[in-house]
Amino acid sequence: MKIRTSRQTLFHDIKIVIFTMSAIAVGLLLHLDNSEKSWDAMCARCEERLQKAQKNSLPFELRKKYDGVLFETVSMNKLVSMVEECADNKVNNVLYMGTSKGYDYFIHNSDFRRRRVKTEACVSAKIRLTKDVTRWIAATGTTAQVALTLQRLVGGVTQRAEKQP
């Protein structure tokens, strides 16, 4: 049996420590590489989902961009007939948004549709066209009540949206 000196034992221990540290370093590098690949794959999936969501939301974003800008021009009689056509709907109301450049602007809400219309200025109690919903004048209730409120708007008697139940 060979007797080792303390110097040889020290070198042997240093070799074992270096080998162990090398093995741990290689293991960590492999783990980090694998983690990086899994993070890259996860980021790619998230990016793919984001692009798909953006693609699906594009029509809604375009509609939102022009929401409130595009109005179809109709006569007041046509607006009243649009309200009467929706007599059986649960939701059937008209919001007067205001007057601008010779037109009165309205939103007609029904169960299945929201129409933005403008008519030639005929509302006697005019307010300036505004995006402030609290200043809009609401015509709500049954179809007869909505038609009556529209007639009052043309005749000059108004009710504010915030005062409606």
Side-chain angles (χ1 to χ4, degrees), residues 103-131:
Y103 289 99
D104 293 326
Y105 292 84
F106 298 91
I107 298 174
H108 175 232
N109 294 308
S110 63
D111 283 348
F112 307 106
R113 193 169 190 188
R114 180 180 193 189
R115 296 177 84 170
R116 295 181 171 274
V117 297
K118 63 182 180 179
T119 64
E120 289 190 23
C122 61
V123 173
S124 57
K126 295 184 184 330
I127 62 170
R128 189 177 213 167
L129 181 62
T130 180
K131 292 184 179 181

mmCIF file of all heavy atoms in Angstrom, residues 103-131:
data_model
loop_
_atom_site.group_PDB
_atom_site.id
_atom_site.type_symbol
_atom_site.label_atom_id
_atom_site.label_comp_id
_atom_site.label_asym_id
_atom_site.label_seq_id
_atom_site.Cartn_x
_atom_site.Cartn_y
_atom_site.Cartn_z
ATOM 1 N N TYR A 103 -77.405 70.064 -38.410
ATOM 2 C CA TYR A 103 -77.938 68.712 -38.220
ATOM 3 C C TYR A 103 -78.120 68.429 -36.736
ATOM 4 O O TYR A 103 -77.320 68.857 -35.907
ATOM 5 C CB TYR A 103 -76.989 67.652 -38.802
ATOM 6 C CG TYR A 103 -76.952 67.646 -40.314
ATOM 7 C CD1 TYR A 103 -75.921 68.289 -40.999
ATOM 8 C CD2 TYR A 103 -77.934 66.987 -41.048
ATOM 9 C CE1 TYR A 103 -75.879 68.278 -42.379
ATOM 10 C CE2 TYR A 103 -77.891 66.974 -42.434
ATOM 11 C CZ TYR A 103 -76.865 67.618 -43.091
ATOM 12 O OH TYR A 103 -76.824 67.619 -44.460
ATOM 13 N N ASP A 104 -79.179 67.670 -36.428
ATOM 14 C CA ASP A 104 -79.402 67.146 -35.084
ATOM 15 C C ASP A 104 -78.887 65.715 -35.080
ATOM 16 O O ASP A 104 -79.184 64.936 -35.990
ATOM 17 C CB ASP A 104 -80.892 67.154 -34.729
ATOM 18 C CG ASP A 104 -81.449 68.557 -34.609
ATOM 19 O OD1 ASP A 104 -80.701 69.446 -34.165
ATOM 20 O OD2 ASP A 104 -82.624 68.756 -34.955
ATOM 21 N N TYR A 105 -78.139 65.350 -34.057
ATOM 22 C CA TYR A 105 -77.516 64.034 -33.978
ATOM 23 C C TYR A 105 -78.207 63.186 -32.916
ATOM 24 O O TYR A 105 -78.419 63.646 -31.791
ATOM 25 C CB TYR A 105 -76.025 64.165 -33.660
ATOM 26 C CG TYR A 105 -75.267 64.790 -34.810
ATOM 27 C CD1 TYR A 105 -75.195 66.167 -34.966
ATOM 28 C CD2 TYR A 105 -74.638 63.992 -35.752
ATOM 29 C CE1 TYR A 105 -74.513 66.728 -36.029
ATOM 30 C CE2 TYR A 105 -73.948 64.546 -36.817
ATOM 31 C CZ TYR A 105 -73.892 65.920 -36.950
ATOM 32 O OH TYR A 105 -73.216 66.469 -38.012
ATOM 33 N N PHE A 106 -78.547 61.953 -33.290
ATOM 34 C CA PHE A 106 -79.266 61.030 -32.422
ATOM 35 C C PHE A 106 -78.590 59.663 -32.438
ATOM 36 O O PHE A 106 -77.936 59.289 -33.417
ATOM 37 C CB PHE A 106 -80.715 60.830 -32.903
ATOM 38 C CG PHE A 106 -81.544 62.071 -32.890
ATOM 39 C CD1 PHE A 106 -81.628 62.890 -34.008
ATOM 40 C CD2 PHE A 106 -82.271 62.416 -31.766
ATOM 41 C CE1 PHE A 106 -82.403 64.027 -34.002
ATOM 42 C CE2 PHE A 106 -83.059 63.553 -31.753
ATOM 43 C CZ PHE A 106 -83.126 64.361 -32.869
ATOM 44 N N ILE A 107 -78.788 58.909 -31.354
ATOM 45 C CA ILE A 107 -78.427 57.496 -31.298
ATOM 46 C C ILE A 107 -79.708 56.741 -31.003
ATOM 47 O O ILE A 107 -80.397 57.032 -30.026
ATOM 48 C CB ILE A 107 -77.390 57.204 -30.195
ATOM 49 C CG1 ILE A 107 -76.090 57.948 -30.461
ATOM 50 C CG2 ILE A 107 -77.132 55.702 -30.100
ATOM 51 C CD1 ILE A 107 -75.081 57.813 -29.337
ATOM 52 N N HIS A 108 -80.038 55.772 -31.857
ATOM 53 C CA HIS A 108 -81.215 54.932 -31.628
ATOM 54 C C HIS A 108 -80.729 53.553 -31.205
ATOM 55 O O HIS A 108 -80.041 52.866 -31.950
ATOM 56 C CB HIS A 108 -82.071 54.821 -32.894
ATOM 57 C CG HIS A 108 -83.213 53.865 -32.731
ATOM 58 N ND1 HIS A 108 -83.444 52.850 -33.615
ATOM 59 C CD2 HIS A 108 -84.173 53.762 -31.771
ATOM 60 C CE1 HIS A 108 -84.503 52.166 -33.218
ATOM 61 N NE2 HIS A 108 -84.960 52.701 -32.106
ATOM 62 N N ASN A 109 -81.049 53.151 -29.988
ATOM 63 C CA ASN A 109 -80.681 51.836 -29.455
ATOM 64 C C ASN A 109 -81.890 50.925 -29.477
ATOM 65 O O ASN A 109 -82.975 51.314 -29.048
ATOM 66 C CB ASN A 109 -80.192 51.951 -27.999
ATOM 67 C CG ASN A 109 -78.911 52.732 -27.905
ATOM 68 O OD1 ASN A 109 -77.946 52.447 -28.579
ATOM 69 N ND2 ASN A 109 -78.907 53.741 -27.047
ATOM 70 N N SER A 110 -81.694 49.710 -29.978
ATOM 71 C CA SER A 110 -82.724 48.692 -29.900
ATOM 72 C C SER A 110 -82.042 47.391 -29.470
ATOM 73 O O SER A 110 -80.844 47.377 -29.222
ATOM 74 C CB SER A 110 -83.444 48.533 -31.240
ATOM 75 O OG SER A 110 -82.549 48.085 -32.228
ATOM 76 N N ASP A 111 -82.816 46.316 -29.379
ATOM 77 C CA ASP A 111 -82.246 45.053 -28.887
ATOM 78 C C ASP A 111 -81.040 44.592 -29.694
ATOM 79 O O ASP A 111 -80.074 44.091 -29.129
ATOM 80 C CB ASP A 111 -83.308 43.948 -28.914
ATOM 81 C CG ASP A 111 -84.292 44.068 -27.772
ATOM 82 O OD1 ASP A 111 -84.023 44.857 -26.855
ATOM 83 O OD2 ASP A 111 -85.320 43.383 -27.803
ATOM 84 N N PHE A 112 -81.105 44.725 -30.978
ATOM 85 C CA PHE A 112 -80.090 44.122 -31.833
ATOM 86 C C PHE A 112 -79.242 45.120 -32.605
ATOM 87 O O PHE A 112 -78.361 44.724 -33.353
ATOM 88 C CB PHE A 112 -80.759 43.174 -32.840
ATOM 89 C CG PHE A 112 -81.637 42.167 -32.167
ATOM 90 C CD1 PHE A 112 -83.016 42.276 -32.219
ATOM 91 C CD2 PHE A 112 -81.083 41.123 -31.449
ATOM 92 C CE1 PHE A 112 -83.823 41.348 -31.588
ATOM 93 C CE2 PHE A 112 -81.886 40.200 -30.807
ATOM 94 C CZ PHE A 112 -83.261 40.311 -30.889
ATOM 95 N N ARG A 113 -79.496 46.400 -32.423
ATOM 96 C CA ARG A 113 -78.805 47.365 -33.269
ATOM 97 C C ARG A 113 -78.652 48.699 -32.559
ATOM 98 O O ARG A 113 -79.495 49.096 -31.766
ATOM 99 C CB ARG A 113 -79.602 47.559 -34.551
ATOM 100 C CG ARG A 113 -78.870 48.274 -35.617
ATOM 101 C CD ARG A 113 -79.623 48.178 -36.904
ATOM 102 N NE ARG A 113 -78.777 48.664 -37.966
ATOM 103 C CZ ARG A 113 -79.163 48.865 -39.170
ATOM 104 N NH1 ARG A 113 -80.393 48.604 -39.510
ATOM 105 N NH2 ARG A 113 -78.339 49.316 -40.076
ATOM 106 N N ARG A 114 -77.585 49.363 -32.906
ATOM 107 C CA ARG A 114 -77.360 50.732 -32.433
ATOM 108 C C ARG A 114 -77.100 51.569 -33.676
ATOM 109 O O ARG A 114 -76.109 51.349 -34.370
ATOM 110 C CB ARG A 114 -76.161 50.771 -31.495
ATOM 111 C CG ARG A 114 -75.873 52.151 -30.977
ATOM 112 C CD ARG A 114 -74.682 52.110 -30.064
ATOM 113 N NE ARG A 114 -74.598 53.356 -29.326
ATOM 114 C CZ ARG A 114 -73.581 53.684 -28.579
ATOM 115 N NH1 ARG A 114 -72.566 52.874 -28.456
ATOM 116 N NH2 ARG A 114 -73.566 54.829 -27.955
ATOM 117 N N ARG A 115 -77.968 52.498 -33.943
ATOM 118 C CA ARG A 115 -77.824 53.326 -35.143
ATOM 119 C C ARG A 115 -77.532 54.754 -34.749
ATOM 120 O O ARG A 115 -78.158 55.304 -33.856
ATOM 121 C CB ARG A 115 -79.107 53.283 -35.969
ATOM 122 C CG ARG A 115 -79.420 51.908 -36.503
ATOM 123 C CD ARG A 115 -80.706 51.889 -37.229
ATOM 124 N NE ARG A 115 -80.497 52.317 -38.600
ATOM 125 C CZ ARG A 115 -81.414 52.221 -39.547
ATOM 126 N NH1 ARG A 115 -82.596 51.735 -39.259
ATOM 127 N NH2 ARG A 115 -81.163 52.627 -40.759
ATOM 128 N N ARG A 116 -76.590 55.328 -35.447
ATOM 129 C CA ARG A 116 -76.265 56.750 -35.269
ATOM 130 C C ARG A 116 -76.824 57.476 -36.488
ATOM 131 O O ARG A 116 -76.470 57.161 -37.610
ATOM 132 C CB ARG A 116 -74.760 56.941 -35.178
ATOM 133 C CG ARG A 116 -74.193 56.286 -33.937
ATOM 134 C CD ARG A 116 -72.695 56.504 -33.861
ATOM 135 N NE ARG A 116 -72.196 56.062 -32.583
ATOM 136 C CZ ARG A 116 -72.164 56.799 -31.482
ATOM 137 N NH1 ARG A 116 -72.609 58.022 -31.491
ATOM 138 N NH2 ARG A 116 -71.696 56.319 -30.363
ATOM 139 N N VAL A 117 -77.718 58.404 -36.214
ATOM 140 C CA VAL A 117 -78.379 59.106 -37.313
ATOM 141 C C VAL A 117 -78.293 60.609 -37.090
ATOM 142 O O VAL A 117 -78.137 61.082 -35.967
ATOM 143 C CB VAL A 117 -79.863 58.676 -37.452
ATOM 144 C CG1 VAL A 117 -79.971 57.215 -37.803
ATOM 145 C CG2 VAL A 117 -80.649 58.984 -36.206
ATOM 146 N N LYS A 118 -78.384 61.325 -38.190
ATOM 147 C CA LYS A 118 -78.494 62.773 -38.111
ATOM 148 C C LYS A 118 -79.669 63.184 -38.984
ATOM 149 O O LYS A 118 -79.941 62.582 -40.018
ATOM 150 C CB LYS A 118 -77.202 63.468 -38.525
ATOM 151 C CG LYS A 118 -76.772 63.265 -39.947
ATOM 152 C CD LYS A 118 -75.459 63.974 -40.211
ATOM 153 C CE LYS A 118 -75.003 63.769 -41.650
ATOM 154 N NZ LYS A 118 -73.764 64.462 -41.931
ATOM 155 N N THR A 119 -80.367 64.189 -38.511
ATOM 156 C CA THR A 119 -81.503 64.735 -39.258
ATOM 157 C C THR A 119 -81.235 66.209 -39.487
ATOM 158 O O THR A 119 -80.398 66.809 -38.802
ATOM 159 C CB THR A 119 -82.813 64.577 -38.466
ATOM 160 O OG1 THR A 119 -82.728 65.359 -37.279
ATOM 161 C CG2 THR A 119 -83.075 63.131 -38.109
ATOM 162 N N GLU A 120 -81.939 66.777 -40.437
ATOM 163 C CA GLU A 120 -81.827 68.219 -40.591
ATOM 164 C C GLU A 120 -82.324 68.864 -39.315
ATOM 165 O O GLU A 120 -83.253 68.379 -38.675
ATOM 166 C CB GLU A 120 -82.641 68.688 -41.798
ATOM 167 C CG GLU A 120 -82.016 68.272 -43.109
ATOM 168 C CD GLU A 120 -82.695 68.932 -44.288
ATOM 169 O OE1 GLU A 120 -83.325 69.994 -44.114
ATOM 170 O OE2 GLU A 120 -82.578 68.377 -45.382
ATOM 171 N N ALA A 121 -81.680 69.939 -38.920
ATOM 172 C CA ALA A 121 -81.969 70.565 -37.620
ATOM 173 C C ALA A 121 -83.445 70.903 -37.500
ATOM 174 O O ALA A 121 -83.972 71.709 -38.262
ATOM 175 C CB ALA A 121 -81.115 71.800 -37.431
ATOM 176 N N CYS A 122 -84.108 70.245 -36.552
ATOM 177 C CA CYS A 122 -85.516 70.533 -36.316
ATOM 178 C C CYS A 122 -85.833 70.571 -34.824
ATOM 179 O O CYS A 122 -86.945 70.896 -34.444
ATOM 180 C CB CYS A 122 -86.401 69.505 -37.026
ATOM 181 S SG CYS A 122 -86.136 67.828 -36.454
ATOM 182 N N VAL A 123 -84.866 70.243 -33.983
ATOM 183 C CA VAL A 123 -85.080 70.286 -32.536
ATOM 184 C C VAL A 123 -85.073 71.740 -32.108
ATOM 185 O O VAL A 123 -84.148 72.486 -32.399
ATOM 186 C CB VAL A 123 -83.993 69.477 -31.792
ATOM 187 C CG1 VAL A 123 -84.115 69.653 -30.291
ATOM 188 C CG2 VAL A 123 -84.074 68.012 -32.169
ATOM 189 N N SER A 124 -86.127 72.134 -31.409
ATOM 190 C CA SER A 124 -86.228 73.546 -31.041
ATOM 191 C C SER A 124 -85.393 73.883 -29.808
ATOM 192 O O SER A 124 -84.855 74.974 -29.707
ATOM 193 C CB SER A 124 -87.697 73.922 -30.822
ATOM 194 O OG SER A 124 -88.262 73.089 -29.840
ATOM 195 N N ALA A 125 -85.284 72.970 -28.869
ATOM 196 C CA ALA A 125 -84.477 73.207 -27.663
ATOM 197 C C ALA A 125 -83.083 72.639 -27.922
ATOM 198 O O ALA A 125 -82.710 71.607 -27.403
ATOM 199 C CB ALA A 125 -85.119 72.548 -26.458
ATOM 200 N N LYS A 126 -82.320 73.322 -28.730
ATOM 201 C CA LYS A 126 -81.029 72.805 -29.183
ATOM 202 C C LYS A 126 -79.975 72.865 -28.072
ATOM 203 O O LYS A 126 -79.947 73.784 -27.281
ATOM 204 C CB LYS A 126 -80.535 73.609 -30.376
ATOM 205 C CG LYS A 126 -81.418 73.473 -31.589
ATOM 206 C CD LYS A 126 -80.830 74.215 -32.757
ATOM 207 C CE LYS A 126 -81.690 74.215 -33.977
ATOM 208 N NZ LYS A 126 -82.549 73.117 -34.215
ATOM 209 N N ILE A 127 -79.135 71.853 -28.103
ATOM 210 C CA ILE A 127 -77.909 71.896 -27.309
ATOM 211 C C ILE A 127 -76.764 71.666 -28.284
ATOM 212 O O ILE A 127 -76.956 71.093 -29.360
ATOM 213 C CB ILE A 127 -77.888 70.836 -26.171
ATOM 214 C CG1 ILE A 127 -77.950 69.415 -26.724
ATOM 215 C CG2 ILE A 127 -78.951 71.091 -25.159
ATOM 216 C CD1 ILE A 127 -77.700 68.343 -25.679
ATOM 217 N N ARG A 128 -75.617 72.130 -27.938
ATOM 218 C CA ARG A 128 -74.444 71.951 -28.792
ATOM 219 C C ARG A 128 -74.037 70.480 -28.772
ATOM 220 O O ARG A 128 -74.084 69.828 -27.738
ATOM 221 C CB ARG A 128 -73.320 72.821 -28.262
ATOM 222 C CG ARG A 128 -72.151 72.903 -29.137
ATOM 223 C CD ARG A 128 -71.150 73.836 -28.529
ATOM 224 N NE ARG A 128 -70.468 74.511 -29.596
ATOM 225 C CZ ARG A 128 -69.716 75.543 -29.446
ATOM 226 N NH1 ARG A 128 -69.561 76.061 -28.260
ATOM 227 N NH2 ARG A 128 -69.108 76.079 -30.465
ATOM 228 N N LEU A 129 -73.638 69.945 -29.939
ATOM 229 C CA LEU A 129 -73.210 68.555 -30.051
ATOM 230 C C LEU A 129 -72.076 68.301 -29.060
ATOM 231 O O LEU A 129 -71.092 69.033 -29.027
ATOM 232 C CB LEU A 129 -72.743 68.245 -31.479
ATOM 233 C CG LEU A 129 -72.282 66.815 -31.739
ATOM 234 C CD1 LEU A 129 -73.426 65.827 -31.509
ATOM 235 C CD2 LEU A 129 -71.742 66.682 -33.151
ATOM 236 N N THR A 130 -72.236 67.256 -28.232
ATOM 237 C CA THR A 130 -71.255 66.967 -27.206
ATOM 238 C C THR A 130 -71.073 65.469 -27.042
ATOM 239 O O THR A 130 -71.969 64.687 -27.360
ATOM 240 C CB THR A 130 -71.675 67.588 -25.857
ATOM 241 O OG1 THR A 130 -70.686 67.289 -24.888
ATOM 242 C CG2 THR A 130 -73.012 67.060 -25.381
ATOM 243 N N LYS A 131 -69.915 65.072 -26.538
ATOM 244 C CA LYS A 131 -69.665 63.673 -26.202
ATOM 245 C C LYS A 131 -69.965 63.410 -24.731
ATOM 246 O O LYS A 131 -69.882 62.271 -24.279
ATOM 247 C CB LYS A 131 -68.216 63.302 -26.509
ATOM 248 C CG LYS A 131 -67.904 63.289 -27.980
ATOM 249 C CD LYS A 131 -66.490 62.835 -28.245
ATOM 250 C CE LYS A 131 -66.217 62.812 -29.736
ATOM 251 N NZ LYS A 131 -64.874 62.361 -30.041
#
